[in-house]
Amino acid sequence: MSAIKHRVKRLTSQLEEVAQRGMDRHIRLGVTGISGAGKTAFITALVNQLLQAESHQLPAWQVMAQSRYLGGRIAPQPDLTLQPFDYNGAIACLRQAQPLWPPSTRTISEIRLALRYMPDKGLAGQIGRPVTLYLDIIDYPGEWLLDLPLMQQEYEQWCDQIWPQLQLPAWRELTEAWCARASSLSSEATESDIAELAQEYASLLLLLKQQRGASLLQPGRALLPGELAGAPVLEWFPLPPAKLNSLGEESSLRQTLVSRYQAYRDQVVTPFFRDYFARLDRQVVLVDCLSALNQGRDQVEQLAQTLQALSHSFRYGPGSVVTRLFRPKIDRVLFAATKADHLTVDQHHNLLQLMHSLMKSSRRQPRYFGTQMETLVLSAINATRQGQVERDGRTVSVISGTDLSGTKSVRFPGEVPAALPGNGFWQQQGFCFQPFSPPRWDGQDALPHMRLDYALQFLIGDKMR
């Protein structure tokens, strides 16, 4: 009897969702970015603003500025197979005596908000009755999104693409030993040999990410395995194209790697696209340009390639009743440069220009398919305060905050280039943008931020008229 009740309840929930989508009162918003870009902080801050909305903190969000927003609440999660986004846990981290940043995204999670407002258009606006917009926020690792091109590739094509990257001069010091082991692997390698080298490959990818700031790394689940940790479906890696071509079709090594690649593509990547990613209506991509600048020119160039790969993975197109119900397409996408509070305000324009230059080739596809695209510089949670000091008879803009060691500091973080500097610049100097701890916060007011109201207006403002 309980099973029947569960099915009836689930069917009722699905019918309600169909009705809301048909009336354009339901949005599925995806939030992604390479780990370290601040996804958890962004979602926590976004939810916090919607729950504790204050007009003076969200002046650019029109429904708030017009006093039509009535409030929001966390609603029951629609997809019970997904891990719930731990909003309360993130808030607890931020409210500690020594506040901590919430843990990074490790798998897919979801949170649903019911946002109540007074419409000013349409029949509901004429009647004067409040309306509820349901906002589902889906948090997923950007590393997983970078796997979507595998759906169109065979193992041999993937090796042709990945192996040259492992030979990049900036990576060679870290990759040389592993590449030598992969090149000398026996054509009749055992299961344990393959598993050991696969684990070393996963460790290598993590090292490239941490020490070289690499972002375009595959397979993404090698970095963030989630529930697949230790599963054979992750025990594969690239071979040198020359070695792969020399292996016969009967080689056990070739057969094992090809079959596991195909299993990963068909049983992991394809279901992720079908069940979660392809159902999104709108998308946020968070970008940490400052960390890439710290690492050097190669890493900034790879960030541009990563943005292009992410951009080409989305299913773009204008929204309509039919597409919302049967084949959702992303009709708005926001690319946001995060950690704006780590800079003085006068450098925000340069950071925006840098984002535009990095995304030059990424903007064409969404524009072609009629998707609206916006680029913002923002800080989901302000960790610093802006200020000025006198130095050598002139006024200098600075930021003040608490560093990760707990020490209060005042810094001039430096200038951000409006475009990627030439090779000569990197040989003479570089960048050193330092992280900060979260601000002390008692939870009574909404979290301090920069430009989240502009993000809200772009992402959901048109649905709350």
Side-chain angles (χ1 to χ4, degrees):
M1 196 69 180
S2 60
I4 295 176
K5 288 183 179 179
H6 175 72
R7 289 173 185 170
V8 170
K9 186 176 181 180
R10 184 173 182 180
L11 178 60
T12 302
S13 176
Q14 290 173 341
L15 289 174
E16 288 177 354
E17 182 172 319
V18 169
Q20 296 296 341
R21 291 186 69 79
M23 293 185 292
D24 202 14
R25 296 178 185 169
H26 177 239
I27 300 176
R28 288 178 61 84
L29 172 67
V31 179
T32 194
I34 303 304
S35 61
K39 293 185 295 297
T40 306
F42 177 86
I43 296 174
T44 301
L46 197 69
V47 173
N48 179 257
Q49 297 297 333
L50 292 170
L51 297 182
Q52 297 186 225
E54 300 173 11
S55 58
H56 69 278
Q57 282 204 300
L58 301 169
W61 191 29
Q62 290 182 9
V63 69
M64 172 63 76
Q66 297 167 359
S67 302
R68 295 188 294 107
Y69 185 63
L70 304 179
R73 64 177 178 84
I74 297 176
Q77 183 175 325
D79 190 343
L80 300 181
T81 66
L82 286 182
Q83 177 178 309
F85 179 80
D86 189 10
Y87 173 73
N88 291 329
I91 290 295
C93 289
L94 294 168
R95 291 190 63 179
Q96 292 184 34
Q98 299 294 330
L100 300 172
W101 292 113
S104 297
T105 298
R106 308 298 299 178
T107 186
I108 304 175
S109 64
E110 179 183 50
I111 187 169
R112 167 171 281 194
L113 299 177
L115 309 178
R116 204 156 175 80
Y117 68 100
M118 294 296 296
D120 66 350
K121 293 186 177 181
L123 180 60
Q126 295 176 10
I127 296 175
R129 290 182 178 177
V131 171
T132 300
L133 174 71
Y134 290 94
L135 176 63
D136 295 344
I137 303 175
I138 295 87
D139 174 24
Y140 63 95
E143 287 82 354
W144 295 6
L145 182 59
L146 291 174
D147 281 340
L148 293 186
L150 302 185
M151 295 169 60
Q152 311 300 326
Q153 291 179 315
E154 296 299 333
Y155 175 71
E156 293 79 6
Q157 296 171 301
W158 180 72
C159 289
D160 287 341
Q161 172 190 308
I162 293 297
W163 195 261
Q165 292 184 17
L166 296 175
Q167 313 305 311
L168 290 174
W171 292 9
R172 194 169 297 149
E173 181 183 353
L174 297 178
T175 62
E176 190 172 17
W178 184 88
C179 288
R181 285 194 289 275
S183 299
S184 61
L185 190 63
S186 169
S187 62
E188 302 302 323
T190 64
E191 291 275 340
S192 60
D193 292 334
I194 294 173
E196 181 180 352
L197 202 56
Q199 182 56 54
E200 291 177 2
Y201 179 64
S203 299
L204 174 61
L205 294 185
L206 186 60
L207 205 60
L208 288 170
K209 179 178 176 57
Q210 293 174 342
Q211 296 191 15
R212 295 293 186 270
S215 54
L216 195 57
L217 302 171
Q218 293 174 328
R221 297 264 187 159
L223 289 163
L224 294 170
E227 74 283 2
L228 296 179
V233 75
L234 294 183
E235 293 177 352
W236 53 278
F237 45 82
L239 285 178
K243 180 180 180 66
L244 184 61
N245 293 334
S246 70
L247 295 175
E249 295 293 335
E250 302 302 318
S251 164
S252 62
L253 174 60
R254 183 183 187 122
Q255 289 180 353
T256 299
L257 293 177
V258 168
S259 65
R260 289 182 178 175
Y261 173 91
Q262 292 173 344
Y264 182 82
R265 180 191 63 193
D266 300 340
Q267 299 172 30
V268 177
V269 179
T270 300
F272 166 67
F273 176 80
R274 180 190 64 233
D275 299 338
Y276 306 113
F277 185 72
R279 297 170 58 201
L280 299 176
D281 302 304
R282 295 185 174 179
Q283 179 67 52
V284 177
V285 180
L286 303 178
V287 186
D288 181 6
C289 293
L290 303 186
S291 293
L293 286 170
N294 284 347
Q295 294 287 344
R297 182 183 176 88
D298 289 342
Q299 283 65 40
V300 180
E301 289 180 339
Q302 185 169 111
L303 178 60
Q305 296 171 10
T306 302
L307 289 173
Q308 184 173 359
L310 289 173
S311 177
H312 289 176
S313 298
F314 300 131
R315 180 189 283 173
Y316 295 114
S320 68
V321 174
V322 174
T323 57
R324 280 197 302 272
L325 290 175
F326 302 108
R327 190 177 172 82
K329 294 183 179 180
I330 292 175
D331 60 3
R332 293 196 178 198
V333 58
L334 171 66
F335 284 84
T338 59
K339 305 179 183 179
D341 58 325
H342 290 33
L343 301 170
T344 52
V345 172
D346 61 305
Q347 293 302 307
H348 290 184
H349 176 73
N350 280 8
L351 182 56
L352 183 63
Q353 293 303 112
L354 178 62
M355 277 283 288
H356 285 163
S357 69
L358 295 178
M359 295 182 58
K360 190 173 297 183
S361 60
S362 304
R363 303 174 68 89
R364 300 186 186 116
Q365 191 171 13
R367 189 185 302 121
Y368 176 84
F369 285 104
T371 291
Q372 294 189 48
M373 184 175 175
E374 184 63 88
T375 309
L376 278 179
V377 171
L378 57 78
S379 168
I381 302 174
N382 276 356
T384 67
R385 292 185 177 184
Q386 302 285 322
Q388 293 181 328
V389 298
E390 294 294 326
R391 178 181 294 177
D392 298 330
R394 61 191 182 94
T395 301
V396 179
S397 296
V398 296
I399 54 175
S400 61
T402 304
D403 63 25
L404 297 183
S405 69
T407 304
K408 294 185 181 297
S409 63
V410 176
R411 298 178 190 162
F412 171 67
E415 298 181 355
V416 175
L420 185 61
N423 288 324
F425 172 87
W426 301 96
Q427 294 171 1
Q428 298 175 14
Q429 65 182 89
F431 299 94
C432 188
F433 298 106
Q434 298 296 319
F436 287 86
S437 294
R440 289 185 179 273
W441 177 66
D442 60 10
Q444 298 301 309
D445 298 318
L447 285 160
H449 70 89
M450 282 187 188
R451 303 189 186 94
L452 271 186
D453 50 337
Y454 287 89
L456 280 169
Q457 180 57 31
F458 175 74
L459 293 169
I460 63 174
D462 62 314
K463 302 295 185 182
M464 304 183 77
R465 293 174 177 170

